[in-house]
Amino acid sequence: MVVLAASIVGKSGKVLVSRQFVDMSRIRIEGLLAAFPKLIGTGKQHTYVETENVRYVYQPIEALYLLLVTNKQSNILEDLETLRLLSKLVPEYSYSLDEEGICKNAFELIFAFDEVISLGHKENVTVAQVKQYCEMESHEEKLHKLVMQSKINETKDVMKRKASEIDKSKIEKNRGDKGGFGPLQSMGSGRIESGFNDLSISSSGTGFGSGSGFGMTTDIDSFSTKSKGRPTSAATAPPKGLGMKLGKSQRTNQFLESLKAEGEVIVEDVQPKVGPSRAAAAPLTDPITLTVEEKLNVTLKRDGGVSNFDVQGTLSLQILNQEDAHIQVQVQTGENQAISFKTHPNMNKDLFANENILGLKDPNRPFPTGQGSEAGVGLLKWRMQSTDESMVPLTINCWPSSSGNESYVSIEYEASSMFELRNVVVSVPLPALREAPTVNQIDGEWRYDSRNSILEWSILLIDNSNRSGSMEFVVPQADSSAFFPISVRFMATDTFSDLKVANIIPLKGGNQPKYAQRTQLITENYQVV
């Protein structure tokens, strides 16, 4: 078996990747590849075409062809085995099997082809071995890094010794500046060097070599005066080239330098600016805020019907100022008889049962105040359960069907007229895909989460203009259970209880305080199983 070349060719005939394994002119290879699109047929998984001189063995991979060009004397069974191995390697190095993905990973594919075919002959390797060979580290590279690290460590030791010598010499010079002549008498010239080159101290006749030390008084006094008045740059600045600090920071710098020498990218530590760690939440502006919130838990059956329908609601109170804490809250509970209300244990139950007024058992006791708790103080809670499908605000129908090697999935929603639903997201699980599904039709927007293999269908608002909608997409053939469970989330500004705040009653007299009501319905667990 002699493989002349291995290539990946588009359906249009464009050559995306090509690797030549034998000594053959470029013009000859290009001519063979250019003739291939005119010779291919359709309808077979593994196909081959023979010409007068060569044999084309190829396999379709989605919109591409994986092609081997061999001589006619090669064993076609071995050719097919090689082709099968290459077809397993291509998805390993190119996640997207289209022209853009193949071109992006062309070099990795060529390296993998080289591990499979050597000088035109197939190597006895597996997919795992090819991946291991392509990722294998070089022993020579490791040895080179060790040698470089050893040189760096030696240089650091030399730097430490030089720094210690410089510090000792500076200490001796400082002692001489403070009046000790001992160090100066050992010098044989009339100049003090090593950092004081711009200042000369000469004796009045004998010089330092005489060892008497007399005749130096005037010059040394003038030197001391100069030092006290304006120190020279050589005396105050550290020696040039000494760019290191002794102590803990030095060890840290050495560690970073060693990492840089090994090729690691080091991001310098930048001190953050002084400021708040995060943006503060928008403060409440109304003296009194009452929040009505309902959480919806629904489980729908894929064939129709309701398995679980549960609504849990709360009314909470938040007061900013202490002077507004002595109040009572009058509410309207709506006409839904399926809802059962329960007051907080500190509330006057008889007052609520008779007059729909929420007040503390002790009228002289104020409500808690402040913004410490975002939820506020719970006054009332309620619950509703049902098996009536007409109570469900949004129903989802999913219809998967198979045709050939593909699965066509049609999904439709129907919303009741009770609510206007906002920020609706229908999340459909998908089988593992190499590329995004093909969406043929949709009412709204869609997004494919490749990491979690989920297709998200988004509708910004569902109102009377679009109480129903649909989406259709196509994926490779899969079992119908792969598209379940479907998760749904949305929110609304109306609730099942239709609870409203009718009035705020001040117990200490005075004007009625200003208040605001916030109402929302949110989904907590909404699924089609």
Side-chain angles (χ1 to χ4, degrees):
M1 168 189 176
V2 177
V3 178
L4 307 180
S7 305
I8 299 178
V9 184
K11 291 291 181 70
S12 62
K14 179 180 178 182
V15 180
L16 306 178
V17 175
S18 181
R19 181 67 173 114
Q20 178 181 338
F21 299 105
V22 297
D23 187 12
M24 184 181 295
S25 67
R26 177 180 175 180
I27 296 177
R28 173 63 173 160
I29 289 292
E30 290 179 350
L32 292 174
L33 295 178
F36 170 69
K38 303 174 184 178
L39 302 172
I40 58 176
T42 59
K44 297 182 180 179
Q45 187 67 17
H46 291 285
T47 53
Y48 70 93
V49 176
E50 289 187 355
T51 64
E52 183 178 353
N53 298 316
V54 298
R55 177 187 295 138
Y56 297 94
V57 184
Y58 64 95
Q59 176 182 345
I61 303 179
E62 296 189 5
L64 309 173
Y65 288 109
L66 178 61
L67 170 66
L68 291 181
V69 182
T70 70
N71 57 13
K72 295 184 67 174
Q73 291 74 31
S74 66
N75 188 331
I76 192 169
L77 295 179
E78 292 184 3
D79 296 342
L80 293 175
E81 182 65 26
T82 304
L83 189 66
R84 187 178 300 109
L85 179 59
L86 294 181
S87 67
K88 294 178 181 178
L89 283 173
V90 172
E92 294 290 337
Y93 291 95
S94 178
Y95 183 78
S96 178
L97 296 179
D98 53 15
E99 293 188 3
E100 181 180 358
I102 295 296
C103 292
K104 186 177 180 181
N105 300 280
F107 286 104
E108 288 79 3
L109 290 168
I110 290 175
F111 295 151
F113 288 177
D114 283 341
E115 297 295 336
V116 176
I117 303 173
S118 176
L119 299 177
H121 298 278
K122 178 182 178 297
E123 297 287 344
N124 188 19
V125 294
T126 63
V127 174
Q129 289 174 331
V130 171
K131 293 180 67 177
Q132 180 183 2
Y133 296 158
C134 291
E135 298 173 359
M136 187 169 292
E137 298 180 357
S138 170
H139 176 71
E140 288 78 7
E141 180 183 3
K142 285 185 176 181
L143 183 60
H144 174 72
K145 288 183 177 180
L146 290 175
V147 173
M148 290 297 297
Q149 183 62 42
S150 176
K151 292 181 179 179
I152 291 171
N153 294 336
E154 291 177 1
T155 304
K156 290 177 180 178
D157 293 337
V158 173
M159 291 173 63
K160 289 180 181 180
R161 290 195 297 270
K162 292 292 184 182
S164 178
E165 293 174 3
I166 292 171
D167 288 341
K168 289 179 180 179
S169 63
K170 289 174 67 176
I171 292 173
E172 291 178 357
K173 291 169 186 175
N174 290 334
R175 289 176 181 174
D177 294 343
K178 294 180 181 179
F181 298 137
L184 300 178
Q185 292 176 356
S186 63
M187 298 184 182
S189 66
R191 299 178 65 87
I192 300 178
E193 299 179 356
S194 300
F196 298 93
N197 294 329
D198 57 332
L199 299 174
S200 62
I201 305 177
S202 60
S203 65
S204 59
T206 60
F208 295 128
S210 62
S212 62
F214 297 102
M216 296 171 53
T217 308
T218 304
D219 294 326
I220 292 176
D221 289 342
S222 63
F223 170 75
S224 301
T225 304
K226 290 181 182 179
S227 299
K228 292 179 180 178
R230 183 181 179 183
T232 61
S233 59
T236 58
K240 293 183 179 179
L242 183 59
M244 60 188 298
K245 295 181 180 179
L246 301 178
K248 183 177 180 180
S249 61
Q250 179 185 358
R251 293 193 297 270
T252 303
N253 292 336
Q254 291 174 0
F255 176 70
L256 294 178
E257 290 297 332
S258 64
L259 290 179
K260 290 180 181 178
E262 294 177 1
E264 296 290 339
V265 178
I266 305 299
V267 180
E268 298 295 337
D269 187 15
V270 179
Q271 294 295 334
K273 296 181 178 180
V274 177
S277 59
R278 62 178 181 178
L284 298 175
T285 57
D286 296 290
I288 299 175
T289 302
L290 294 112
T291 302
V292 178
E293 182 182 75
E294 288 185 348
K295 295 181 179 180
L296 186 59
N297 292 273
V298 176
T299 303
L300 302 175
K301 301 177 182 178
R302 68 182 71 177
D303 298 327
V306 179
S307 177
N308 177 53
F309 181 87
D310 182 71
V311 179
Q312 298 183 16
T314 57
L315 171 64
S316 58
L317 169 68
Q318 193 163 2
I319 303 174
L320 296 183
N321 304 316
Q322 186 66 34
E323 56 268 20
D324 298 325
H326 292 84
I327 60 170
Q328 291 179 339
V329 181
Q330 187 172 15
V331 297
Q332 295 177 354
T333 56
E335 300 179 356
N336 194 334
Q337 302 297 325
I339 295 179
S340 58
F341 292 93
K342 290 185 178 181
T343 59
H344 191 276
N346 292 334
M347 295 290 108
N348 189 330
K349 292 181 173 57
D350 294 334
L351 185 63
F352 175 74
N354 297 327
E355 305 180 37
N356 279 349
I357 294 178
L358 294 167
L360 294 172
K361 293 179 179 179
D362 183 2
N364 296 321
R365 179 182 174 184
F367 282 105
T369 60
Q371 299 191 35
S373 175
E374 295 182 359
V377 180
L379 304 182
L380 187 67
K381 66 179 181 179
W382 58 94
R383 186 173 186 178
M384 181 182 73
Q385 293 179 314
S386 176
T387 57
D388 186 1
E389 193 171 0
S390 64
M391 298 295 294
V392 177
L394 185 69
T395 57
I396 304 293
N397 295 314
C398 180
W399 302 86
S401 60
S402 297
S403 177
N405 293 327
E406 295 178 326
S407 290
Y408 290 80
V409 182
S410 297
I411 301 179
E412 63 178 0
Y413 73 82
E414 292 184 5
S416 68
S417 58
M418 293 186 295
F419 305 104
E420 289 187 357
L421 307 181
R422 303 176 186 272
N423 302 325
V424 182
V425 179
V426 180
S427 300
V428 184
L430 301 179
L433 303 177
R434 297 189 181 276
E435 57 185 12
T438 302
V439 178
N440 295 333
Q441 182 272 330
I442 188 171
D443 295 325
E445 303 291 336
W446 68 277
R447 185 181 74 89
Y448 175 57
D449 183 357
S450 58
R451 174 169 296 184
N452 299 313
S453 192
I454 291 177
L455 178 63
E456 293 186 348
W457 177 18
S458 303
I459 306 102
L460 189 62
L461 174 66
I462 297 180
D463 55 14
N464 291 328
S465 64
N466 59 342
R467 291 294 178 186
S468 62
S470 61
M471 173 181 68
E472 182 184 80
F473 62 90
V474 183
V475 296
Q477 188 175 21
D479 188 76
S480 60
S481 60
F483 306 103
F484 294 92
I486 300 174
S487 299
V488 184
R489 63 179 186 270
F490 57 81
M491 64 171 297
T493 55
D494 296 319
T495 59
F496 285 92
S497 64
D498 198 23
L499 187 141
K500 292 181 174 58
V501 178
N503 191 18
I504 298 294
I505 305 171
L507 299 180
K508 296 293 185 179
N511 297 327
Q512 183 186 41
K514 294 182 179 180
Y515 69 93
Q517 178 178 343
R518 299 179 179 181
T519 304
Q520 66 174 358
L521 169 68
I522 60 175
T523 55
E524 190 173 45
N525 185 14
Y526 201 112
Q527 288 187 332
V528 181
V529 297

